[in-house]
Amino acid sequence: MSSLYYRDPSTELHVGDAIDVMATLPSASVDCVVTSPPQWGLRDYGTAEWVGGKPRCRHTLGTTPHQRRSVKKTGIGGHRARTEKHCRRCGAISRDKQYGLESTLDEYVHKLGEASAEIARLLSPEGTFWLNLRDGYSYHNSGTGSTRRIGPGESGEVVRHKSLMGIPWRVALHLQKQGWIIRNAVVWHKPNSIPDPATDRFSSRYEMVFLLVKQPDYHVDASRVLEPLSQERPAHRKDHRGGTKPHTVKSPWSPRSPGKNPGDVWSMSTRPLPDAHCAPFPIDLPWRCIAAGCPEGGHVLDPFSGAGTTGLAARQLGRFYRGIDLRSDYHDIALRRLAGSQPADIDLPEAA
């Protein structure tokens, strides 16, 4: 069964599970991947297929992150129950391929590892993989191992209630063990982040963006995304001539570049999206990743494409875009957004 939902000379959209769809695509056919997978335990995107239960029931896995990702481990009399998610109203079985509702954090990390292994196959040798992840706090002693602490004789690693879980770095280090090279851990600072009701900690106003590559030689051109130089001092005061201390560089250096490297802290405000999608990142973020990390005329992939913000940036920069999502209505949102955007005036390659 074909997963293709839409295609034109600059865009290709697929409906289905990220790993399943990527498995059908040719190797080394992508130059740049920019994506933001669903966060563990945060949202249910309503992609489940329900089996059994009451036909008229408005099925739900629960209202809290802990409820949505938990499964029963024991049945009546202590017997082992099926580790399947059930509707909390009628008991219908949920069969769902969406990411983020795994029972344990380790399952989530390993699932992203499986998707990243497929990304490695699709990515060209000099390609770049930009992975946006946010952190979260533990609810009710969240489990990180294959089992959770549920009784005598059964134990698993847990993150205690209210603790920051370190999700981005858990994923990044897992990918590093798979062979990925972590070239940057960019902090995306959100100046206009939503108000945080917590009073016993400071508000979280950042997410992580990891730049991952397959080999030491790869395509990133930071000169494409330079920031303006400070104009506070005259040019002659910006010249560096070295110092007199031991081991100090003695050769002169003068800032002749039209701008400066943006560094690894990106301050980008979120932008509201009136359509029904929960968490789009601002176009500034994928735009910078693609501009620096994808050659002209290259192919961009987002395996968790959502409302198509990566596609919008790719269109503006004249790159071919391929998006994958479980929900076709999110592709409809993306197509409406793309319809109002004009591609760059360059020749685009045919899709592989």
Side-chain angles (χ1 to χ4, degrees), residues 191-265:
N192 65 334
S193 59
I194 60 175
D196 194 327
T199 58
D200 58 352
R201 61 172 173 82
F202 297 107
S203 299
S204 177
R205 296 188 178 180
Y206 77 95
E207 296 183 19
M208 300 300 300
V209 181
F210 293 101
L211 168 56
L212 303 154
V213 297
K214 296 165 56 175
Q215 62 180 30
D217 297 321
Y218 55 92
H219 177 87
V220 166
D221 184 2
S223 68
R224 303 295 298 270
V225 293
L226 295 178
E227 293 182 343
L229 289 169
S230 172
Q231 301 301 317
E232 296 177 358
R233 294 189 298 168
H236 71 276
R237 294 192 60 194
K238 296 179 182 179
D239 291 347
H240 295 269
R241 301 183 182 279
T244 59
K245 295 181 179 179
H247 312 297
T248 303
V249 175
K250 300 298 191 298
S251 58
W253 175 85
S254 184
R256 302 301 180 213
S257 171
K260 63 180 180 180
N261 189 304
D264 57 5
V265 178

Side-chain angles (χ1 to χ4, degrees), residues 13-333:
L13 302 177
H14 294 261
V15 175
D17 171 67
I19 295 176
D20 292 345
V21 174
M22 286 192 290
T24 67
L25 303 177
S27 300
S29 60
V30 174
D31 300 291
C32 180
V33 176
V34 185
T35 194
S36 180
Q39 185 186 354
W40 184 56
L42 182 63
R43 296 183 180 92
D44 182 352
Y45 288 92
T47 59
E49 295 181 359
W50 296 93
V51 179
K54 298 179 180 179
R56 295 186 179 182
C57 177
R58 298 180 64 181
H59 303 302
T60 179
L61 294 176
T63 57
T64 69
H66 169 67
Q67 290 173 332
R68 288 195 294 267
R69 66 189 177 219
S70 64
V71 295
K72 286 188 176 181
K73 298 293 185 179
T74 55
I76 299 174
H79 296 293
R80 209 63 163 161
R82 289 179 297 176
T83 56
E84 296 175 318
K85 295 181 186 296
H86 292 74
C87 171
R88 290 182 170 265
R89 291 173 177 163
C90 71
I93 299 173
S94 169
R95 292 177 180 170
D96 200 350
K97 289 193 172 183
Q98 71 172 297
Y99 291 58
L101 296 184
E102 294 80 7
S103 300
T104 68
L105 183 50
D106 270 1
E107 291 176 22
Y108 173 74
V109 171
H110 283 276
K111 195 169 183 180
L112 288 184
E114 293 175 3
S116 298
E118 199 60 39
I119 288 172
R121 183 186 67 82
L122 295 180
L123 204 60
S124 64
E126 295 183 349
T128 57
F129 175 20
W130 305 80
L131 178 62
N132 169 223
L133 292 167
R134 60 176 289 185
D135 213 337
Y137 289 86
S138 173
Y139 288 83
H140 308 293
N141 295 342
S142 300
T144 63
S146 58
T147 60
R148 300 168 65 192
R149 189 169 298 163
I150 57 177
E154 291 193 55
S155 64
E157 183 187 357
V158 299
V159 178
R160 292 188 61 186
H161 180 51
K162 299 184 73 171
S163 175
L164 195 65
M165 291 184 285
I167 295 173
W169 275 107
R170 288 177 186 265
V171 174
L173 294 176
H174 179 73
L175 300 190
Q176 188 181 61
K177 290 180 180 179
Q178 287 186 331
W180 288 96
I181 300 172
I182 304 174
R183 286 299 290 149
N184 269 120
V186 175
V187 174
W188 166 29
H189 167 235
K190 298 182 286 185
N192 65 334
S193 59
I194 60 175
D196 194 327
T199 58
D200 58 352
R201 61 172 173 82
F202 297 107
S203 299
S204 177
R205 296 188 178 180
Y206 77 95
E207 296 183 19
M208 300 300 300
V209 181
F210 293 101
L211 168 56
L212 303 154
V213 297
K214 296 165 56 175
Q215 62 180 30
D217 297 321
Y218 55 92
H219 177 87
V220 166
D221 184 2
S223 68
R224 303 295 298 270
V225 293
L226 295 178
E227 293 182 343
L229 289 169
S230 172
Q231 301 301 317
E232 296 177 358
R233 294 189 298 168
H236 71 276
R237 294 192 60 194
K238 296 179 182 179
D239 291 347
H240 295 269
R241 301 183 182 279
T244 59
K245 295 181 179 179
H247 312 297
T248 303
V249 175
K250 300 298 191 298
S251 58
W253 175 85
S254 184
R256 302 301 180 213
S257 171
K260 63 180 180 180
N261 189 304
D264 57 5
V265 178
W266 299 353
S267 187
M268 298 175 176
S269 297
T270 59
R271 300 189 183 186
L273 182 65
D275 295 280
H277 186 272
C278 297
F281 45 36
I283 190 173
D284 313 68
L285 194 150
W287 194 98
R288 177 172 286 184
C289 298
I290 295 169
C294 184
E296 291 189 6
H299 286 218
V300 177
L301 169 69
D302 187 346
F304 305 96
S305 60
T309 305
T310 298
L312 197 61
R315 169 73 65 90
Q316 292 182 4
L317 290 164
R319 273 65 164 178
F320 182 88
Y321 170 68
R322 183 179 285 117
I324 304 170
D325 205 278
L326 281 171
R327 289 183 52 162
S328 61
D329 57 333
Y330 284 174
H331 284 331
D332 294 335
I333 295 173

